[in-house]
Amino acid sequence: MNVLSVDRLRLELVSGETVVDDVSFELAAGEALGLVGESGSGKTTTALALLGYCRPGVRVAAGTIEVAGERVTGRSETDLRRLRGRVISYVPQDPASALNPSVRVGEQVAGVLERHIPSSDVDRVVAETFALVQLPSSSEFRRRFPHQLSGGQQQRVAIAAALVCRPKVVVMDEPTTGLDVVTQANLLEQIAVLREELQLAIVYVSHDLAVVASLADRIMVMYAGSVVEDGPAAPLLARPTHPYTFGLLAAVPDPAEPRTLRSIPGVALGVDERPSGCCFAPRCPQRISACTEAVPPLLSVDDGRRVRCIEWRRTPALVAELRQVAARERAAPLLAVDGLRAEHAERGRRLVAASSVSFEVAPGECVALVGESGSGKTTIARCIAGLHEPAAGRVLLDGTPLASRAASRSRDARQRIQIVFQNPYDSLNPRHRVVDSIARPMRVLRGLSRREAAAEVAALLERVRLPAKLAQRFPSELSGGERQRVAIARALATKPDLLVCDEITSALDVSVQAAVLELLAELQIELGLALLLITHDLGVVASVADRVLVLERGVVCEHGLVVPLLSHPEHEYTRRLVAAAPTLVARR
Amino acid sequence: MTAIAARMRFARTGSGRVGVTATLLLLALILIGPLVAPHDPAAIVGIPLQRPGSGFLLGTDGLGRDVLSRVLWGGRSIIALSVVATGLAYLVGLAIGLVAGYTRSLLDPVLMRAMDVLLAVPPLLFLLVLATGAGHSVVVLVLGVATVHVPSIARIVRAATQSVVVRGYVEAAVARGERTHSILAREILPNVLGTVLADAGIRLTGSILILASVNFLGLGLQPPRADWALMISENRGGITLQPWAVAAPALLIAFLTVAVNLVADAIARSLGTSLDRRRIAR
């Protein structure tokens, strides 16, 4: 019995451009569909359309959507409001902004119920729903405000609000993005239980194949507004038939399988630049002339698999290229951190961010600092870059202790250590052109003239594989991946020996992440650059790091070479992290 | 360099072009106006409070002076004084706000509490006391009006600065050891400029209004000088008989405000974009 059926759905911009085209699928009670795609693929637009909602400027141009026998398309807003929350509901990506900060969480959940089923025993049902999502159901807890809850609890409240009317279908839009791995793993487990208990049909939208793999029965991969492949989860992940799915799987880092990542060449297209034929053709290695002539139909392959590729038979099989992590000779360390202790002052209290942290980075080596949010990893990076004054301990470069503040360090030291920040959207000055941003460190730290610096910018842009014409652009005119490359180019501009990378791929799409990590590995080999990688993602660690330090609440709890550490973690905390990290290998 | 390019680019957007044209028109009016004025602005040339017509295009004011001539003469002082006062206020307010927002030392509370003290004094009272103590000169007037604006500008700039200092590009500048003044000028100032420009037009109007009220109280410019602000206050009484003596200068002040706001908004919008954006999107 299908509770959700979508038939040839097409969404358009008011200006006539197609945003999403030809989406058809059916979903039975208790079934979970993973909707996978990168930013701009149309996955969120599609998901919202299931609730009869279109963002301003977007409209349903063709096709039908039916939820539990009720037609969603072509209905008035008033009618749709009766359906939303009762028959089909939505769990948003960021609970911190989805929950009203000035309304108590219990009331927010009760509000949904009162709207649809006013006669019910509100208090009892809300308490039950809280218990269902494993939140304390006490009235004390329900009287709290969103800011008094952790990120995981906030997301559970959002899920409670979505489930309180016991809908047939729940649309979840990246509900675990932004949560720590352990919290994410708990939540995913909980969602699987709920689905079983309530016979929920779930549409799970995510950019993360590994997360989707742990939950979905079926996976639908979207690219540039069309479904490129869809089918049962396990075979799709093991043997992709569309070249994009293949590329995506080759780009996903996996902690259970340390392998070299392969990025997809080229960049994703905007809505207004989609080609006339197959949307993936410009980036496709198996393109033939017929691909660019007409949009290929969704072909049925085998066992319920559909693929939008006329040349799908040529899609290669996935072969994991396992990384060879050679043990290094012990060279004199480039960077040494010795007994570092860092604190934050907050409302007169001292919070310890890191304590007695010691480690070394050899020239040309890649060391990863891994931990959840609040483990102190970013603070350690900031101490090394001279942005945070340590409370105790030393940072040594080539055996010479460094001053705690960047301003008091020698020019040489500042030039040799460079840092790249997490958020590519705020690490470049929006008022400076790319060329100025990259040239500035050369002028300040290497004393180059304006002309000399400008001449080197072109070479650096090529180094990070960006076209030279980007030099004259402003950051707002670049994509996230392009910005992060510019930020890396800016760091490389001083010809550093050590690059501190603070979560530099966490804001990027998987395929873009793979390209950036590929670049880092290349720089490490070609320039002999040492890398200090700060990350929460064990998959990233597995794909690029040589050695790992695991941080738990500011203390290094385990360290060692990447392969033995990830495959045989010894410390309890590391074990928990490794167990919680989403992986694709287990599903194959 | 970026700033110069921005300055050349902003006039190419639709409303920016309108703003620039309107500002230029107004400047032309106050510069050429006195040359083409039909009468001496201070001379009594007709019957008081005549309606437009009979040789006087905008009628006469309460003393029988030609309104058109007074309007043509009267823009210089008020625009010059308010522009200088507002500009000065921004110069000082920006400096205080940037330093207070950037520093994490005691300087921040010290500066900001000083601003609060200034903010607590009613502007007109402050100007009255100032004029009584330091005399009625134009310099005192300009400094006084500037001082009235400084605290609120400093507060806005400080808040904007605080949201910018935590950004990655500021951290990157700190990490490469840039001097404080170059961080303030290169990294922070261009990014608070948008916020600052958002109320520049209104603040200029504010200066005009303060100057007008000060003139009205007899502390600023003295009659029989032709001045838009003075004209509004002088002719209030006759507004039912001869509305043009008030309406003409008031409309011009409104026109000035709109023009300045359009220009300021266009500059704010043009920051951090290249004009060939549309081409890039293709």
Side-chain angles (χ1 to χ4, degrees):
Chain A
M1 167 62 189
N2 289 328
V3 288
L4 176 64
S5 61
V6 178
D7 187 30
R8 285 177 306 237
L9 180 71
R10 193 155 78 93
L11 303 167
E12 272 184 4
L13 289 184
V14 178
S15 55
E17 278 135 339
T18 306
V19 184
V20 169
D21 199 9
D22 194 17
V23 175
S24 307
F25 64 91
E26 276 163 356
L27 203 58
E31 206 180 1
L33 171 76
L35 198 55
V36 178
E38 297 185 282
S39 36
S41 62
K43 59 185 191 303
T44 296
T45 314
T46 308
L48 288 171
L50 300 179
L51 291 102
Y53 178 78
C54 288
R55 270 176 284 195
V58 179
R59 62 187 183 90
V60 176
T64 54
I65 300 170
E66 242 174 62
V67 180
E70 301 237 34
R71 195 65 175 265
V72 171
T73 36
R75 289 187 84 155
S76 72
E77 189 62 22
T78 331
D79 278 0
L80 286 172
R81 281 193 192 140
R82 283 195 306 105
L83 298 182
R84 290 181 195 147
R86 187 170 58 88
V87 181
I88 181 166
S89 61
Y90 183 70
V91 178
Q93 173 167 5
D94 181 9
S97 65
L99 297 176
N100 186 335
S102 55
V103 178
R104 298 174 194 280
V105 291
E107 284 171 36
Q108 302 202 33
V109 175
V112 183
L113 187 63
E114 282 160 357
R115 169 79 179 76
H116 292 294
I117 313 166
S119 57
S120 58
D121 182 355
V122 174
D123 239 29
R124 186 181 53 81
V125 178
V126 170
E128 273 174 19
T129 313
F130 269 62
L132 197 64
V133 294
Q134 291 193 342
L135 283 172
S137 55
S138 68
S139 63
E140 183 277 323
F141 184 84
R142 281 182 282 142
R143 286 180 53 76
R144 290 198 198 167
F145 289 101
H147 71 246
Q148 292 167 312
L149 309 184
S150 70
Q153 286 176 324
Q154 287 177 349
Q155 193 56 281
R156 280 168 196 265
V157 171
I159 294 175
L163 294 184
V164 71
C165 297
R166 304 291 185 269
K168 300 267 189 287
V169 184
V170 180
V171 177
M172 300 187 167
D173 190 358
E174 308 246 13
T176 63
T177 309
L179 299 179
D180 275 325
V181 264
V182 176
T183 320
Q184 165 173 293
N186 288 340
L187 198 64
L188 287 172
E189 216 169 280
Q190 183 64 30
I191 292 172
V193 170
L194 287 172
R195 167 187 152 197
E196 200 64 35
E197 271 178 27
L198 306 176
Q199 279 297 296
L200 274 181
I202 296 177
V203 177
Y204 194 98
V205 180
S206 179
H207 70 283
D208 192 335
L209 270 170
V211 166
V212 170
S214 69
L215 191 82
D217 306 305
R218 255 164 59 212
I219 293 180
M220 196 156 100
V221 183
M222 290 189 75
Y223 180 79
S226 41
V227 176
V228 292
E229 179 161 9
D230 113 61
L236 184 140
L237 296 170
R239 175 82 181 86
T241 51
H242 195 280
Y244 176 67
T245 319
F246 172 83
L248 214 50
L249 283 166
V252 180
D254 201 315
E257 189 179 74
R259 58 191 162 82
T260 312
L261 301 181
R262 289 276 165 256
S263 64
I264 305 172
V267 290
L269 304 171
V271 169
D272 54 350
E273 43 188 16
R274 288 178 187 163
S276 53
C278 170
C279 53
F280 189 62
R283 304 172 71 182
C284 185
Q286 57 203 54
R287 172 185 62 228
I288 56 170
S289 63
C291 295
T292 51
E293 281 156 18
V295 178
L298 208 50
L299 304 169
S300 282
V301 185
D302 49 353
D303 56 331
R305 182 96 65 105
R306 295 183 301 169
V307 59
R308 197 183 294 278
C309 180
I310 43 178
E311 286 289 293
W312 64 271
R313 276 169 228 281
R314 282 171 51 210
T315 307
L318 273 178
V319 182
E321 293 174 65
L322 291 184
R323 279 179 70 217
Q324 300 302 317
V325 187
R328 290 171 177 275
E329 295 168 35
R330 299 299 296 172
L334 172 70
L335 178 89
V337 173
D338 181 22
L340 188 76
R341 179 186 173 86
E343 293 171 350
H344 288 291
E346 196 174 283
R347 290 187 205 120
R349 282 185 306 149
R350 282 177 177 283
L351 302 176
V352 178
S355 94
S356 42
V357 172
S358 301
F359 63 94
E360 291 174 351
V361 182
E365 189 186 26
C366 178
V367 174
L369 272 182
V370 183
E372 295 187 286
S373 51
S375 63
K377 54 192 194 302
T378 291
T379 311
I380 295 172
R382 289 170 54 84
C383 287
I384 293 168
L387 293 168
H388 190 100
E389 226 163 321
R394 296 183 303 170
V395 177
L396 302 101
L397 185 66
D398 272 343
T400 324
L402 293 175
S404 54
R405 300 188 147 273
S408 347
R409 289 183 184 174
S410 68
R411 188 159 108 167
D412 181 58
R414 279 179 275 140
Q415 174 249 315
R416 293 179 62 195
I417 301 178
Q418 285 289 308
I419 182 166
V420 182
F421 297 97
Q422 172 172 16
N423 187 348
Y425 293 89
D426 89 353
S427 66
L428 298 176
N429 191 326
R431 301 288 182 256
H432 293 168
R433 288 174 195 272
V434 166
V435 57
D436 297 327
S437 284
I438 300 178
R440 184 68 185 177
M442 300 185 201
R443 302 189 55 208
V444 175
L445 294 174
R446 286 167 56 205
L448 298 192
S449 74
R450 192 181 287 272
R451 186 171 305 169
E452 289 167 328
E456 263 192 46
V457 169
L460 272 171
L461 284 175
E462 204 189 314
R463 169 94 262 167
V464 297
R465 288 195 257 138
L466 287 175
K469 63 174 189 216
L470 247 55
Q472 291 306 318
R473 302 235 185 121
F474 284 101
S476 62
E477 294 154 352
L478 305 179
S479 71
E482 285 172 337
R483 287 179 207 216
Q484 201 57 290
R485 281 161 197 256
V486 172
I488 293 172
R490 177 179 65 184
L492 294 179
T494 67
K495 297 192 188 289
D497 294 327
L498 172 72
L499 203 58
V500 180
C501 303
D502 184 8
E503 296 268 17
I504 63 170
T505 59
S506 65
L508 305 177
D509 272 324
V510 227
S511 68
V512 182
Q513 163 173 289
V516 169
L517 294 178
E518 230 174 16
L519 173 68
L520 284 184
E522 212 177 276
L523 294 171
Q524 194 193 348
I525 293 166
E526 287 172 22
L527 305 179
L529 197 62
L531 298 171
L532 179 61
L533 206 66
I534 315 290
T535 183
H536 69 280
D537 189 336
L538 288 176
V540 169
V541 172
S543 339
V544 285
D546 299 324
R547 279 196 304 133
V548 195
L549 286 97
V550 183
L551 277 169
E552 184 190 15
R553 294 168 195 223
V555 182
V556 178
C557 65
E558 186 168 0
H559 64 97
L561 290 175
V562 65
V563 177
L565 189 137
L566 289 184
S567 46
H568 304 288
E570 307 226 315
H571 193 273
E572 171 59 30
Y573 180 71
T574 319
R575 260 188 233 152
R576 252 193 299 150
L577 276 188
V578 171
T583 164
L584 284 170
V585 176
R587 291 282 295 192
R588 289 215 190 108
Chain B
M1 203 178 119
T2 326
I4 296 169
R7 226 162 280 149
M8 296 191 307
R9 278 183 288 114
F10 73 87
R12 294 197 209 159
T13 60
S15 60
R17 213 175 303 141
V18 173
V20 171
T21 317
T23 312
L24 289 178
L25 273 177
L26 212 65
L27 279 179
L29 176 88
I30 63 169
L31 290 176
I32 305 168
L35 303 176
V36 298
H39 300 281
D40 179 347
I44 292 168
V45 290
I47 307 162
L49 298 177
Q50 262 181 287
R51 293 228 170 199
S54 64
F56 303 111
L57 210 56
L58 290 173
T60 58
D61 70 359
L63 294 174
R65 295 172 294 195
D66 178 32
V67 171
L68 177 64
S69 303
R70 289 181 69 73
V71 163
L72 289 173
W73 276 92
R76 282 187 180 184
S77 47
I78 189 84
I79 291 181
L81 291 187
S82 53
V83 166
V84 171
T86 315
L88 207 61
Y90 270 109
L91 223 57
V92 180
L94 267 171
I96 294 177
L98 281 174
V99 170
Y102 181 72
T103 180
R104 279 166 196 167
S105 68
L106 230 100
L107 197 59
D108 172 29
V110 168
L111 282 173
M112 290 330 283
R113 292 303 80 75
M115 292 297 107
D116 289 350
V117 170
L118 267 182
L119 211 54
V121 182
L124 280 182
L125 193 68
F126 171 73
L127 288 170
L128 281 171
V129 173
L130 190 71
T132 320
H136 287 195
S137 76
V138 170
V139 178
V140 172
L141 201 61
V142 167
L143 287 180
V145 174
T147 314
V148 167
H149 282 309
V150 165
S152 48
I153 295 175
R155 286 185 75 92
I156 291 174
V157 174
R158 174 174 173 269
T161 304
Q162 282 180 330
S163 68
V164 172
V165 280
V166 294
R167 304 270 170 186
Y169 50 85
V170 179
E171 302 249 88
V174 174
R176 63 174 178 257
E178 299 250 14
R179 305 245 184 111
T180 304
H181 63 83
S182 100
I183 291 175
L184 288 178
R186 243 187 81 86
E187 310 294 340
I188 298 178
L189 180 62
N191 288 293
V192 301
L193 224 48
T195 315
V196 170
L197 284 169
D199 72 345
I202 295 166
R203 223 166 266 286
L204 184 66
T205 328
S207 295
I208 294 175
L209 289 178
I210 296 175
L211 282 168
S213 8
V214 172
N215 289 350
F216 177 60
L217 291 172
L219 289 174
L221 302 167
Q222 302 297 326
R225 216 165 146 174
D227 177 274
W228 291 347
L230 263 183
M231 286 177 72
I232 296 174
S233 56
E234 280 170 358
N235 295 307
R236 264 166 47 263
I239 195 166
T240 46
L241 292 168
Q242 213 304 55
W244 284 103
V246 174
L251 282 175
L252 283 167
I253 290 177
F255 190 72
L256 172 72
T257 314
V258 172
V260 170
N261 270 323
L262 285 178
V263 174
D265 287 352
I267 296 176
R269 254 200 317 276
S270 74
L271 295 171
T273 53
S274 34
L275 238 216
D276 44 358
R277 173 178 255 187
R278 226 169 275 153
R279 215 189 58 223
I280 290 168
R282 292 294 128 181

